[in-house]
Amino acid sequence: MKSKFALVASVVVLVLRGVPSLAQEDKLRKVSFPTSCDARVQAQFERGMAMVHSYSFTEAGKVFDAVARQDPNCVMAYWGYAVSLLGDSLSGPPSPKNAQMARYALEKARALGAKTQRESDWIEALSAYYRGHDKVSVEDRLLAFTKAMEQMTQRYPDDFEAWAFYALMLQASAPKTDLSYANQLKAAAILEKLFQQNPQHPGVERYLLRAYDYPHWRVDSLALGCVLASIPCRIW
């Protein structure tokens, strides 16, 4: 396990980069997410994914809806719409209405038929969360989604987005009673590697901050980082 000093150092590095300017930087940040969709909508799809990582879920949903209208056979547009309805998984589950809409979107994607195995796997991974949303507990569905994303990283070890989602879900499914913070530390280790690969990704820095900005760490890590940097800190 990392020492508390290591946690402080990691957060300080991030804060020194200027966390408060994330909203401005996001205008330039991009996501690389290859799909089999029409090439004319690819950039738009990736813009939607960047919005998801930027917590602009409503706007992301509109983008994916537009992609589906332009390319009705783009199964990943329906998957993306379902992702946008997931919202902030670290704060709570989507409403029953949104969960049902997401399930319909995934059923539409499945009915159209994925053109690649990777796309099919993405659809099934997200379906693990929405399946039985009205009967299965949120905790169990988060665990199922986390496990599915872990499998995605094993099948596609070079898929940056798979690792990013896996790290995020490790945090979302972390047991509230685990004071060792095993999931958060595991997520942070993954995110630190992703950050080195692409520091301009719209989500990785956020997810890393949230992995470290957890109860019992807030005061002595994030707050200290803000003090050392002499700038205000945004709490996600």
Side-chain angles (χ1 to χ4, degrees):
M1 179 183 298
K2 290 188 176 182
S3 67
K4 188 171 294 185
F5 176 81
L7 297 179
V8 173
S10 296
V11 176
V12 169
V13 169
L14 290 175
V15 173
L16 288 172
R17 292 190 70 254
V19 173
S21 65
L22 279 177
Q24 297 177 344
E25 290 183 9
D26 280 348
K27 295 179 180 179
L28 302 176
R29 298 185 178 202
K30 296 182 180 180
V31 169
S32 177
F33 197 122
T35 71
S36 62
C37 301
D38 191 310
R40 292 174 294 180
V41 301
Q42 181 61 34
Q44 195 171 358
F45 173 86
E46 292 180 341
R47 177 169 169 265
M49 287 305 302
M51 288 181 173
V52 167
H53 288 303
S54 300
Y55 292 75
S56 298
F57 303 111
T58 300
E59 292 306 311
K62 294 177 182 178
V63 170
F64 292 125
D65 181 63
V67 170
R69 291 176 184 277
Q70 296 175 62
D71 181 5
N73 293 315
C74 176
V75 298
M76 294 307 286
Y78 301 97
W79 171 87
Y81 187 72
V83 167
S84 71
L85 291 172
L86 181 63
D88 183 1
S89 56
L90 273 65
S91 297
S95 67
K97 178 182 178 181
N98 282 358
Q100 188 60 46
M101 290 173 62
R103 186 173 178 181
Y104 286 152
L106 290 170
E107 289 176 353
K108 174 68 173 180
R110 197 175 290 111
L112 285 173
K115 297 179 181 179
T116 69
Q117 185 60 51
R118 173 177 170 274
E119 291 181 353
S120 177
D121 290 342
W122 270 110
I123 292 169
E124 294 309 314
L126 184 57
S127 295
Y129 175 81
Y130 287 113
R131 190 175 295 115
H133 66 86
D134 54 344
K135 301 176 182 178
V136 182
S137 70
V138 174
E139 291 75 18
D140 286 344
R141 290 187 288 118
L142 284 171
L143 286 173
F145 190 18
T146 303
K147 181 63 176 178
M149 289 313 306
E150 180 181 26
Q151 294 173 347
M152 284 289 292
T153 63
Q154 295 170 351
R155 294 172 188 160
Y156 310 99
D158 296 326
D159 193 323
F160 190 100
E161 288 298 298
W163 283 104
F165 272 97
Y166 176 43
L168 178 61
M169 295 318 301
L170 277 170
Q171 296 181 57
S173 63
K176 301 285 192 299
T177 57
D178 181 14
L179 298 184
S180 72
Y181 308 111
N183 274 33
Q184 288 87 348
L185 289 174
K186 185 174 183 178
I190 293 171
L191 291 164
E192 285 178 354
K193 292 181 180 179
L194 295 181
F195 184 77
Q196 291 299 319
Q197 294 176 38
N198 180 15
Q200 293 304 313
H201 186 274
V204 167
E205 190 171 40
R206 282 183 170 83
Y207 305 153
L208 183 54
L209 276 171
R210 296 185 77 172
Y212 286 137
D213 181 25
Y214 203 76
H216 305 294
W217 292 351
R218 293 178 77 97
V219 175
D220 53 13
S221 63
L222 183 61
L224 177 57
C226 295
V227 170
L228 292 177
S230 299
I231 59 175
C233 235
R234 176 183 302 176
I235 305 299
W236 301 101

